Amino acid sequence: MDSRMIVCAFSSYNFGIFASQHQTMAYPFQSIEKKWQSFWASNHTFSAKFPSDKPKYYVMDMFPYPSGAGLHVGHPLGYIASDVVARYKRHKGYNVLHPQGYDSFGLPAEQYAIQTGQHPSKTTETNINRYREQLDRLGFSFDWGREFRTSDPSYYRWTQWIFMQLFNAWYDTKIDQARPIDELINHLVAHGTKNLSAHCDEDTNSITADQWSSLSEDEQQAYLLHYRMTYLAESEVNWCPQLGTVLANDEVVNGVSERGGYPVEQKKMKQWMMRISSYAERLLNGLDTIDWPEPLKEMQRNWIGRSVGATVRFTVDNHDAEIEVFTTRPDTLYGVTFMTLAPEHDLVNRICTSNHKAEVDRYVKQSANRSERDRMSDVKNITGVFTGSYAIHPLSGKKVPIWIGDYVLAGYGTGAVMSVPCGDQRDFEFAKHFDIPITNIFEGVEITDAAHTEKGETRIANSDFLNGLNVSEATQAAIKHLEKIGSGTAKIQYRLRDAVFSRQRYWGEPIPIYFKNGIPHLLPEHCLPLALPEVEKYLPTPTGAPPLGNAVDWAWDETKEKVVPVCLIDEKNVFPLELNTMPGWAGSSWYFNRYTDANNQNAFADRDKLDYWGKVDLYVGGSEHATGHLLYSRFWQKVLFDLGYVPMDEYAQKLINQGMILGDSAFIYRKTGTQTYLSAGLIEGQTVEPINVDVTYVDSSNVVAHDRLHEWRPEFAQATFELQEGKLIAKREIEKMSKSKYNVVNPDDICDQYGADTLRMYELFLGPIEQAKPWNTAGISGVLGFLNKFWRLFHNDQQFVVSDEQPSPAMLKSLHTTIKKVTNDIEQFSLNTAVSAFMICVNELTSAKCNHRGILQPLTLLLAPFAPHICEELWEKLGHTQSLFDQPYPLADASHLKETQITYPISFNGKMRFTIALDAETSKEDIEKAALADERTAQYIGGKAIKKVIVVPKKIVNIVIG
RNA sequence: GCUGAAGUGGUGGAAUUGGUAGACACGUUGGACUUAAAAUCCAAUGAACAGUAAUGUUCGUGCGGGUUCAAGUCCCGCCUUCAGUACCA
């Protein structure tokens, strides 16, 4: 059979045959890429040096979680961008640290273990190997000598070590620093809590030095938990029954779990917590010192949620109780006509009167049963109930009723508000709904329909000593007065809550804690790592304990200092170990420090190396970590800084968020209940359901290779297709790239067909790095064409030929324009326009038939960060014996860029002015002369005198004629 | 609702930050080469109108105003899309 016929028959479908046709014409990227990848690997070309006299540059990617699905073309975008920068900085003479590792603890490996019984470490190992293969094909300049995995004991022993440092630290609010716990103990021994300025739990009792000394050892330890940076506390947590674990606030999205989308409920549990709230102010202020994207900073600011106001205490009439509230509007104190408590508030039971008890109980129960979701979707519905009790207004002494309403959140502020219906819309609606009186305290403002919430120039009325003051004056005056009479104080409130640190999971870092008499104790430091034990089953135990409860060997012998079987727990000096593990964000909260000294056995990193490498100069990763990893890691860094372990309290000077590369899903339509599939244009008037088709079976004009679909899914062999003009046309839709949508494009396939250099440049060429953009394989031919042209500049037929003649000024201009543009673009991370600049240059050189060494050699260097393989190959062919990776980058020579003459007249505005392009050094006389010399201009001026020459920035002049 | 980002050809996107709008690429059309296809090269390609033609004119950066010799870019008022957040007192 004639092979040509096969090509014709399948050419519109079969990309494989397309590809082989490309290859016959393309430069031999397959062999070149293999050659240089193994050259770089065996020469350790990219290992970062220490010590070094060179200036350092630290460029890092957010390390990947190695999932089972492998990489798709969307994943490497950020790595490509950072790799261009890393290689560029090497050419610029920097000692570059460009590491990579794996965030390898996580849920998917554990879920897989639950289903199959395979140990998560095995799954993880397989996935990592696959990731590494895929990454290696793209020619990254990673220093793999510094690779680590967060699930490796040699790494997580230091995660555990940091946990210990946090456990042994407290926050001194006077000097705004975390300090060793011993300092706190010394203070307690000497003075009790007197003059102690510490960030601690709200309900911590004050004690005297004598009281402290009289406490037992256990009681002292229990007391210290109120101060430690990581502490054990009974708290409301987001419990996800389906996942069988608690979730951090940022892991809950719209009331369901981020991973899996399962419902989340509130539950009280004893959990390890991180006292991140003590760093709220510093996390906020630190944002002003780092060059991160403004939207991301804004997200963190909102998440921290600083609000300035005051706490005010109201005594409850006829009860020995006080209600403390937080308000941002102390100026509206005289507008308070009722109080509202969250249904979960501690005082609810105590203060509700007997005749209201039944109603209150019912309401509290009803609110408790409503899920977060219901509450959110039901914002409009106003509900509440009166307690029967009254609070005494601290200024007016009047009695105001105390209500319960679920619009007040237990988790924010004090869980109670002073309600000012005239000044707050929710209070207003609540008051209207329940017919509670509304007092107007604003001068000349109408409040019949809505509360008056603007502050502006409003003056306060009806408010005793605040009358006539504006909002900010009244706020100051009110706080001053409250402080004088002891009923309140100025206060800054944050939305940021302490972070839950326990997970009821197997595949995470064990927490290095054992319990003696129910009191948590740290393992001795030299006993780390506390290795993850083997278990039979990865599910919780029958009694509901976390999976580590299944371990046979999971008890601590305090004297022998080692892990022993659980069955020995009743023996002397043997105690239970903590069963919870750390959350996913633990390992990633300090990893940037580890890269500086990844193989250190004796410390998490050597201080000299931390000092030398300093801050990450460029950190590239997705913005989805804004309120998770990127906040937690800043927090840990600040703690480590306070305790003197790291040299700076912000770890990344510049952050770039790369946008997602989206998939282009394809759908055909199945007639409901049949095996008949319709082309997208035929669905009118039919009952159909859209069916995803794997995009590898769809070509760029949306034609589906329906006769090959059965290769993908055997059931299509039985299907019938209704075609349009003989073709099955798919409907396209841009969505997130995902396995389940069958729109995944595998970088391996692209490397096979087009080569890694082409893939690298094409991903950058797609658009601005920060922007989300759809993948479209069709466009990639332009980049391959560019690299082929570039290759051909050096070749005559298959023969390598370059000329040593002097290049022409036009060629030099083309080269130096490109050098200038590309260098600028890299510095500004505008990598898509840099790629365009290369294309323009090569087009110009091609039409000029340029093969001069003086042009091509610097151009090869210039292109090397983008397309390293082809450039190394050409560099070698140019006669160099050294790799080009650390050759000095070419510099733009301005002398080649000079414009020598006025170019052309551009446009008339119709009457008196026209505009011409000119050079920076052109004089006014030159302009006049040029204007008159130009035929068209002279014709227009028609002998009239030039009245005025207006030189507007750089390039353009306006000439006014009279 | 609030906060943030963005709206430019058939498509992805450029535009030195107020100065020739649509670079570069895809796609499309035509041509060269070829028995043919692929590949490669060359040309055209925002819209409308006029002209055999070279060319010219008008309109064009979501909509409506404004500032300016000059606006995609700045100001005011809208509309739309995306993202984050949500009863935060």
Side-chain angles (χ1 to χ4, degrees):
Chain A
M1 187 174 169
D2 188 347
S3 64
R4 209 172 61 214
M5 293 299 290
I6 300 174
V7 175
C8 296
F10 291 100
S11 63
S12 60
Y13 304 135
N14 194 320
F15 294 120
I17 291 173
F18 264 143
S20 63
Q21 284 168 351
H22 278 302
Q23 282 165 32
T24 57
M25 296 314 296
Y27 77 98
F29 52 78
Q30 301 278 22
S31 55
I32 292 176
E33 283 167 12
K34 246 204 190 126
K35 171 179 165 187
W36 289 102
Q37 279 162 15
S38 61
F39 176 89
W40 296 326
S42 52
N43 287 281
H44 305 287
T45 307
F46 302 114
S47 72
K49 306 290 182 294
F50 180 88
S52 165
D53 299 335
K54 289 181 180 176
K56 66 92 190 182
Y57 193 84
Y58 186 178
V59 47
M60 190 178 103
D61 301 290
M62 288 185 189
F63 62 173
Y65 173 80
S67 84
L71 290 175
H72 61 63
V73 287
H75 291 118
L77 175 63
Y79 308 153
I80 294 169
S82 64
D83 196 59
V84 168
V85 174
R87 286 174 176 271
Y88 166 76
K89 290 289 178 181
R90 280 201 171 90
H91 289 301
K92 282 288 188 186
Y94 289 88
N95 183 28
V96 172
L97 175 55
H98 184 38
Q100 189 60 289
Y102 302 97
D103 188 14
S104 48
F105 271 134
L107 276 179
E110 179 161 348
Q111 297 287 44
Y112 191 73
I114 291 168
Q115 285 157 21
T116 64
Q118 189 179 84
H119 195 280
S121 68
K122 227 171 170 182
T123 321
T124 304
E125 182 68 26
T126 315
N127 293 348
I128 285 178
N129 290 338
R130 169 130 172 71
Y131 262 60
R132 179 63 190 276
E133 272 173 38
Q134 290 189 295
L135 289 172
D136 280 347
R137 292 203 61 183
L138 294 167
F140 293 126
S141 61
F142 291 132
D143 179 356
W144 285 110
R146 294 165 187 265
E147 177 205 324
F148 53 74
R149 300 151 189 211
T150 55
S151 60
D152 196 326
S154 67
Y155 179 88
Y156 72 64
R157 66 170 294 176
W158 298 111
T159 312
Q160 292 171 333
W161 179 86
I162 291 171
F163 175 89
M164 290 179 168
Q165 311 314 308
L166 287 157
F167 186 82
N168 280 332
W170 61 290
Y171 198 84
D172 186 333
T173 53
K174 200 184 281 163
I175 56 172
D176 243 323
Q177 240 187 47
R179 302 298 306 164
I181 199 81
D182 290 344
E183 290 184 9
L184 176 69
I185 296 172
N186 290 342
H187 188 106
L188 291 172
V189 170
H191 315 286
T193 49
K194 200 177 165 200
N195 293 332
L196 180 66
S197 53
H199 194 274
C200 61
D201 297 345
E202 298 266 322
D203 54 357
T204 311
N205 297 320
S206 306
I207 56 168
T208 64
D210 287 347
Q211 283 172 319
W212 171 259
S213 325
S214 67
L215 293 177
S216 72
E217 170 70 22
D218 284 350
E219 285 166 338
Q220 288 185 345
Q221 287 302 320
Y223 186 79
L224 287 175
L225 280 178
H226 296 298
Y227 293 88
R228 296 181 187 274
M229 287 308 295
T230 180
Y231 59 99
L232 200 53
E234 182 87 16
S235 62
E236 288 268 331
V237 295
N238 305 305
W239 172 254
C240 179
Q242 270 81 354
L243 292 173
T245 191
V246 300
L247 299 169
N249 284 341
D250 67 283
E251 293 168 318
V252 181
V253 177
N254 290 334
V256 299
S257 66
E258 185 193 25
R259 205 172 262 284
Y262 303 115
V264 172
E265 32 184 83
Q266 299 299 304
K267 195 174 168 182
K268 278 218 166 190
M269 287 178 80
K270 201 148 211 189
Q271 298 287 313
W272 285 100
M273 307 286 287
M274 285 281 164
R275 210 177 292 281
I276 190 172
S277 56
S278 43
Y279 281 85
E281 189 69 23
R282 284 173 63 190
L283 286 168
L284 199 60
N285 293 336
L287 290 174
D288 297 332
T289 69
I290 49 181
D291 183 10
W292 288 19
E294 203 47 51
L296 190 138
K297 286 192 191 178
E298 200 57 34
M299 266 192 243
Q300 291 208 346
R301 287 192 192 106
N302 290 339
W303 193 260
I304 295 167
R306 180 182 199 263
S307 40
V308 182
T311 54
V312 186
R313 283 185 296 280
F314 290 68
T315 48
V316 183
D317 197 26
N318 290 330
H319 288 82
D320 179 23
E322 271 188 341
I323 298 172
E324 194 178 56
V325 300
F326 173 73
T327 177
T328 53
R329 296 291 302 276
D331 56 304
T332 62
L333 253 156
Y334 281 95
V336 172
T337 56
F338 61 103
M339 307 287 291
T340 314
L341 305 182
E344 297 88 350
H345 197 280
D346 291 340
L347 284 178
V348 167
N349 268 327
R350 271 175 63 197
I351 63 167
C352 97
T353 57
S354 51
N355 50 337
H356 288 91
K357 181 119 180 96
E359 213 184 334
V360 167
D361 282 352
R362 190 157 13 92
Y363 184 73
V364 169
K365 209 169 191 176
Q366 178 201 320
S367 315
N369 286 338
R370 280 173 71 183
S371 71
E372 188 92 347
R373 256 228 138 143
D374 289 346
R375 267 208 195 189
M376 280 189 339
S377 58
D378 203 18
V379 172
K380 292 270 139 52
N381 226 339
I382 296 164
T383 63
V385 61
F386 179 45
T387 59
S389 285
Y390 293 83
I392 309 289
H393 193 288
L395 303 186
S396 68
K398 282 182 188 155
K399 291 209 292 187
V400 294
I402 302 171
W403 283 71
I404 297 169
D406 69 1
Y407 79 97
V408 178
L409 304 175
Y412 184 75
T414 59
V417 300
M418 56 177 228
S419 300
V420 187
C422 66
D424 181 279
Q425 191 57 30
R426 291 159 317 205
D427 294 346
F428 181 87
E429 278 159 17
F430 196 87
K432 282 267 174 196
H433 191 261
F434 291 108
D435 241 344
I436 303 169
I438 298 173
T439 315
N440 188 355
I441 53 147
F442 299 115
E443 206 174 283
V445 173
E446 186 62 40
I447 55 150
T448 36
D449 295 330
H452 177 73
T453 52
E454 289 110 76
K455 296 175 188 172
E457 275 309 291
T458 310
R459 302 219 163 247
I460 306 293
N462 225 345
S463 299
D464 196 0
F465 67 98
L466 301 176
N467 285 344
L469 301 179
N470 70 23
V471 169
S472 63
E473 290 162 355
T475 301
Q476 295 312 314
I479 291 176
K480 211 169 149 195
H481 189 78
L482 283 169
E483 285 178 344
K484 202 171 89 194
I485 63 169
S487 291
T489 168
K491 162 125 198 197
I492 296 170
Q493 181 73 39
Y494 299 94
R495 200 188 82 120
L496 184 67
R497 321 264 22 115
D498 281 346
V500 185
F501 198 68
S502 300
R503 294 291 183 277
Q504 292 68 44
R505 286 272 145 188
Y506 173 76
W507 192 230
E509 298 88 347
I511 295 174
I513 287 282
Y514 65 98
F515 290 90
K516 197 156 95 181
N517 308 325
I519 301 292
H521 291 267
L522 284 180
L523 263 52
E525 211 173 292
H526 66 268
C527 295
L528 295 183
L530 174 61
L532 204 49
E534 294 297 324
V535 292
E536 287 257 320
K537 279 192 173 147
Y538 303 100
L539 285 165
T541 66
T543 56
L548 290 192
N550 292 318
V552 178
D553 295 314
W554 200 244
W556 187 250
D557 188 318
E558 201 179 33
T559 24
K560 290 184 192 150
E561 297 197 332
K562 63 178 214 183
V563 176
V564 295
V566 172
C567 57
L568 301 179
I569 277 176
D570 288 335
E571 293 191 7
K572 207 181 162 212
N573 297 328
V574 176
F575 304 102
L577 278 158
E578 171 66 58
L579 299 179
N580 287 294
T581 53
M582 298 188 199
W585 52 266
S588 61
S589 291
W590 68 281
Y591 76 120
F592 34 87
N593 290 314
R594 184 64 176 172
Y595 282 133
T596 65
D597 195 9
N599 301 307
N600 197 327
Q601 305 283 312
N602 307 312
F604 77 100
D606 192 78
R607 185 57 193 260
D608 286 347
K609 293 177 181 167
L610 287 168
D611 285 341
Y612 173 75
W613 290 111
K615 279 189 186 179
V616 177
D617 295 282
L618 177 65
Y619 190 22
V620 180
S623 59
E624 66 271 23
H625 300 107
T627 52
H629 158 63
L630 288 173
L631 198 59
Y632 297 130
S633 53
R634 291 181 60 221
F635 161 52
W636 275 33
Q637 182 73 5
K638 285 179 192 302
V639 180
L640 291 173
F641 172 77
D642 286 355
L643 299 176
Y645 295 117
V646 294
M648 66 273 157
D649 80 334
E650 290 289 347
Y651 68 90
Q653 187 52 41
K654 184 172 178 72
L655 177 80
I656 297 258
N657 288 132
Q658 93 277 19
M660 218 185 309
I661 292 186
L662 302 165
D664 194 0
S665 309
F667 297 95
I668 53 174
Y669 296 87
R670 181 171 62 199
K671 253 190 211 170
T672 306
T674 70
Q675 282 299 306
T676 304
Y677 294 86
L678 304 186
S679 186
L682 304 172
I683 57 170
E684 192 92 346
Q686 306 265 15
T687 320
V688 293
E689 56 229 24
I691 304 291
N692 267 109
V693 185
D694 192 309
V695 290
T696 42
Y697 294 93
V698 186
D699 75 5
S700 53
S701 22
N702 303 336
V703 177
V704 184
H706 61 270
D707 48 351
R708 284 175 57 232
L709 281 180
H710 61 89
E711 293 169 11
W712 171 49
R713 291 275 168 99
E715 62 263 31
F716 277 110
Q718 266 74 54
T720 52
F721 299 96
E722 286 185 19
L723 312 177
Q724 284 171 280
E725 296 165 9
K727 289 169 185 164
L728 184 66
I729 307 289
K731 168 113 169 36
R732 285 291 172 112
E733 209 167 292
I734 307 293
E735 298 178 290
K736 205 169 160 175
M737 208 173 265
S738 126
K739 216 177 169 182
S740 62
K741 289 168 179 156
Y742 303 103
N743 58 4
V744 170
V745 180
N746 187 332
D748 296 335
D749 297 342
I750 303 293
C751 282
D752 287 342
Q753 295 173 28
Y754 302 94
D757 287 333
T758 301
L759 176 58
R760 288 169 61 109
M761 291 193 80
Y762 184 56
E763 294 221 354
L764 298 175
F765 181 71
L766 276 175
I769 194 87
E770 316 82 15
Q771 194 177 304
K773 55 229 159 212
W775 176 265
N776 172 16
T777 305
I780 200 170
S781 61
V783 177
L784 181 63
F786 156 76
L787 287 175
N788 278 331
K789 272 191 205 171
F790 181 62
W791 179 261
R792 280 198 301 269
L793 283 175
F794 298 76
H795 292 83
N796 200 349
D797 290 325
Q798 291 305 306
Q799 211 52 43
F800 180 84
V801 186
V802 291
S803 151
D804 284 312
E805 282 169 42
Q806 193 60 34
S808 72
M811 292 174 189
L812 283 166
K813 188 182 168 190
S814 182
L815 170 71
H816 286 274
T817 311
T818 311
I819 294 174
K820 194 176 165 194
K821 170 89 176 129
V822 167
T823 312
N824 261 333
D825 283 350
I826 299 177
E827 297 281 353
Q828 288 162 31
F829 304 99
S830 173
L831 302 178
N832 56 327
T833 52
V835 174
S836 294
F838 281 116
M839 290 179 173
I840 295 167
C841 183
V842 165
N843 282 345
E844 284 171 4
L845 297 180
T846 300
S847 14
K849 299 208 170 24
C850 170
N851 69 341
H852 299 77
R853 179 185 297 273
I855 302 291
L856 296 183
Q857 184 163 302
L859 194 58
T860 305
L861 267 176
L862 192 70
L863 184 62
F866 295 82
H869 309 90
I870 188 173
C871 290
E872 283 276 22
E873 180 71 15
L874 290 169
W875 189 253
E876 192 185 60
K877 288 193 172 198
L878 282 164
H880 300 277
T881 50
Q882 296 281 307
S883 162
L884 58 51
F885 82 97
D886 61 351
Q887 299 294 316
Y889 214 54
L891 291 170
D893 181 346
S895 67
H896 296 299
L897 298 175
K898 245 195 190 162
E899 291 275 358
T900 46
Q901 56 185 175
I902 295 170
T903 347
Y904 51 88
I906 299 163
S907 66
F908 292 102
N909 76 348
K911 286 198 177 135
M912 296 170 53
R913 295 176 187 88
F914 67 94
T915 317
I916 61 174
L918 76 161
D919 180 67
E921 287 151 42
T922 316
S923 69
K924 288 191 182 182
E925 288 73 31
D926 291 340
I927 295 164
E928 283 188 29
K929 228 183 273 174
L932 292 168
D934 184 86
E935 229 174 87
R936 277 169 53 203
T937 310
Q939 201 183 346
Y940 184 78
I941 295 171
K944 281 176 231 163
I946 291 176
K947 213 170 158 189
K948 202 170 149 197
V949 178
I950 308 163
V951 180
V952 205
K954 285 177 204 163
K955 213 157 132 187
I956 306 291
V957 290
N958 292 320
I959 298 179
V960 182
I961 53 178

